[in-house]
Amino acid sequence: MAMHEPAIALIDCNSFYASCERVFRPDLLRTPIVVLSNNDGCVIARSADAKPHVKMGAPYFQIKQDLKRRGIVPFSSNYALYGDMSERVMSVLESLVPAVEVYSIDEAFADLTAMPGSLEQLGREIRAQVLMHTGIPTCVGIAATKTLAKLANHAAKRWQRQTGGVVDLRDPGKRDKLLRVTSVGEIWGVGRKLSARLQGINITTAWELAQADAALIRSQFSVVVEKTARELRGTACLGLDEAVSTKQEICCSRMFGQRLREIAPIREAVATYTARACEKLRKQGSLCKQVRVSIRTGMFNPDEARYAKGILCELPYPTDDTRLIIKATIKGLEHVFREGFAYSKAEVMLLDLRQRDEFTEDLFANIQPATAEQVMLVLDQINSKWGGGTLRTAGVPAAPEWGMRREMMSPSYTTKFSELWSVRAR
């Protein structure tokens, strides 16, 4: 039986956060958009037409008037919307190809090996289907390896008008032509420091890295860089990972919308962050044996007193019970809290995570009661059906005053019944 040449695609959403906002605001289709970080602090995402005018990371308070003058519309970050739209995009991809590796919230690798017909045409069909079902524009890069697929996707975005958003680099001549005009710093996994080191030995382009001696690259850099060089030559060293690996720690932290001096609202915040972390814990089927809670003041204002403190809390047994873990984090908070400071942030981190069958049970040790598992199951089922926060512990407020400032946040069109998109006939 003939072996098929490997074919990997990278599907990447274009300006994902901004595109999510545009799906429900078609009036902004040709209006530049920026999305801001927590508390509307700085720019974390830009639509393509906003990029020439706004730098990534620019503080919002500094550029607010310039955005208004240029007609650029700012949005507060709406992570619930972005996460839901990401799941919709990935669901469409999984219906079109045999294997998908979700790489990040807005991009995924797909195995196209042995797919019939023209893969370039398949790439165009993938773009069309994702756009039709979700409203999110994408670009597709196709190649024999993951590193080359990343590079092909970069080319598809850079020359979108000429390529139609799809680039197939499996042809060696086409591949080598792109490698020659691509700087080494644009290669997937090559950061600024590594780029400078490569340039120090006269490797300035992707083509030069691909042609470099593999043993020399490994001896002077690492096996990771050697694999990158081999992948650029068309030798696959990185396989498709369909299984989502479980996290070894889960963290939930937020800046408060205002400075907090009393422990009561911080207690609410810690309970809220703990509940969110526990939801993620149960979603990946893990149990937790330790939890760390920490608080801190603003660390960059010379006129404010500074304080930061954390504590590690041991749980009585491996658990995913929100109630028990909140009890531990609140006790830890009360231990580290000090009066006289203006607190700006709290963090909850779940540690010592393992799957249920990875804990060795002690005959005399306490274990999580079956009733606790049943309660958590009902909690998650209700919140999954009716929306996050429908059922929560008493210490978690629905609309806290200390919540993040998100004055320009769009509605949760896809995750809250009360904010569903409505269309009115004229």
Side-chain angles (χ1 to χ4, degrees):
M1 184 169 59
M3 294 292 290
H4 295 280
E5 292 294 325
I8 301 293
L10 177 68
I11 302 96
D12 192 5
C13 301
N14 300 344
S15 304
F16 182 60
Y17 287 0
S19 294
C20 289
E21 300 291 354
R22 279 176 167 162
V23 168
F24 300 95
R25 289 289 306 275
D27 57 306
L28 298 179
L29 185 60
R30 290 178 173 78
T31 300
I33 291 173
V34 296
V35 178
L36 307 175
S37 63
N38 294 342
N39 285 323
D40 296 339
C42 61
V43 175
I44 59 170
R46 307 161 294 169
S47 59
D49 45 7
K51 289 181 179 180
H53 310 292
V54 185
K55 290 184 178 180
M56 186 69 84
Y60 177 59
F61 77 93
Q62 290 183 357
I63 63 171
K64 184 176 181 179
Q65 295 304 319
D66 189 49
L67 294 181
K68 186 175 182 180
R69 181 174 60 83
R70 294 181 181 275
I72 300 174
V73 177
F75 282 91
S76 301
S77 52
N78 188 342
Y79 297 118
L81 173 64
Y82 308 150
D84 184 71
M85 293 300 290
S86 173
E87 289 184 7
R88 292 168 185 242
V89 170
M90 301 310 165
S91 294
V92 174
L93 296 181
E94 288 167 354
S95 71
L96 297 172
V97 296
V100 172
E101 176 193 336
V102 178
Y103 182 67
S104 69
I105 192 172
D106 64 345
E107 57 186 330
F109 288 102
D111 188 358
L112 306 186
T113 304
M115 292 288 285
S118 165
L119 294 192
E120 186 172 332
Q121 185 56 40
L122 175 60
R124 300 191 190 285
E125 179 64 17
I126 289 173
R127 293 189 76 225
Q129 289 293 319
V130 172
L131 185 64
M132 181 176 70
H133 290 287
T134 69
I136 302 295
T138 59
C139 282
V140 179
I142 303 169
T145 70
K146 287 175 118 179
T147 304
L148 285 171
K150 266 278 193 178
L151 190 60
N153 186 279
H154 178 71
K157 282 193 172 184
R158 186 174 180 180
W159 296 292
Q160 193 167 163
R161 185 172 297 177
Q162 298 93 318
T163 64
V166 178
V167 169
D168 184 351
L169 276 189
R170 289 176 302 147
D171 176 75
K174 195 173 182 180
R175 177 195 68 199
D176 293 347
K177 183 178 179 180
L178 181 59
L179 290 177
R180 290 179 187 276
V181 299
T182 301
S183 68
V184 72
E186 294 181 44
I187 301 171
W188 181 36
V190 177
R192 186 181 303 173
K193 290 184 179 180
L194 180 55
S195 175
R197 288 182 60 197
L198 288 167
Q199 290 175 16
I201 60 172
N202 296 320
I203 295 179
T204 61
T205 67
W207 166 260
E208 290 168 344
L209 179 58
Q211 301 307 306
D213 180 72
L216 176 66
I217 292 297
R218 175 184 277 208
S219 64
Q220 293 200 15
F221 297 94
S222 68
V223 66
V224 175
V225 183
E226 180 197 1
K227 286 182 177 179
T228 298
R230 291 183 183 277
E231 288 241 328
L232 290 174
R233 289 199 293 269
T235 303
C237 300
L238 304 173
L240 203 69
D241 185 7
E242 296 179 66
V244 178
S245 59
T246 56
K247 296 181 179 179
Q248 300 304 304
E249 57 186 41
I250 294 175
C251 178
C252 187
S253 65
R254 298 284 189 278
M255 299 290 291
F256 306 136
Q258 55 187 298
R259 295 289 195 265
L260 301 178
R261 293 183 174 275
E262 304 296 328
I263 193 172
I266 301 177
R267 190 182 289 118
E268 290 182 349
V270 167
T272 300
Y273 301 165
T274 304
R276 290 174 181 169
C278 288
E279 289 175 2
K280 298 176 183 179
L281 179 71
R282 291 191 295 274
K283 192 171 184 179
Q284 71 173 32
S286 297
L287 299 176
C288 166
K289 188 62 171 65
Q290 292 180 327
V291 59
R292 186 179 190 276
V293 59
S294 60
I295 53 175
R296 70 170 174 83
T297 62
M299 307 305 287
F300 304 104
N301 188 339
D303 299 325
E304 286 185 349
R306 300 178 186 177
Y307 174 77
K309 188 73 172 178
I311 187 171
L312 187 66
C313 307
E314 194 78 21
L315 297 168
Y317 46 78
T319 181
D320 60 6
D321 189 337
T322 297
R323 300 165 301 174
L324 180 63
I325 300 176
I326 285 180
K327 184 178 180 181
T329 55
I330 295 302
K331 186 176 180 179
L333 168 66
E334 292 170 347
H335 185 81
V336 300
F337 177 81
R338 298 290 183 271
E339 293 185 353
F341 293 98
Y343 294 94
S344 66
K345 185 178 182 180
E347 178 180 280
V348 172
M349 184 173 291
L350 307 185
L351 302 167
D352 194 6
L353 308 187
R354 295 173 233 174
Q355 299 301 97
R356 294 176 183 275
D357 58 356
E358 292 178 348
F359 283 96
T360 303
E361 294 185 3
D362 188 318
L363 180 62
F364 302 102
N366 292 327
I367 61 173
Q368 177 163 274
T371 53
E373 296 183 5
Q374 293 169 357
V375 170
M376 292 301 105
L377 177 61
V378 172
L379 172 71
D380 292 336
Q381 286 176 340
I382 290 175
N383 288 332
S384 176
K385 183 175 182 179
W386 301 104
T390 300
L391 186 63
R392 58 188 185 279
T393 60
V396 177
E401 294 183 0
W402 46 263
M404 289 188 298
R405 292 192 309 273
R406 293 194 284 187
E407 299 171 356
M408 297 160 287
M409 190 172 79
S410 54
S412 297
Y413 298 105
T414 63
T415 56
K416 287 185 180 180
F417 282 114
S418 60
E419 298 181 11
L420 286 175
W421 200 24
S422 61
V423 179
R424 294 180 177 86
R426 290 181 176 269

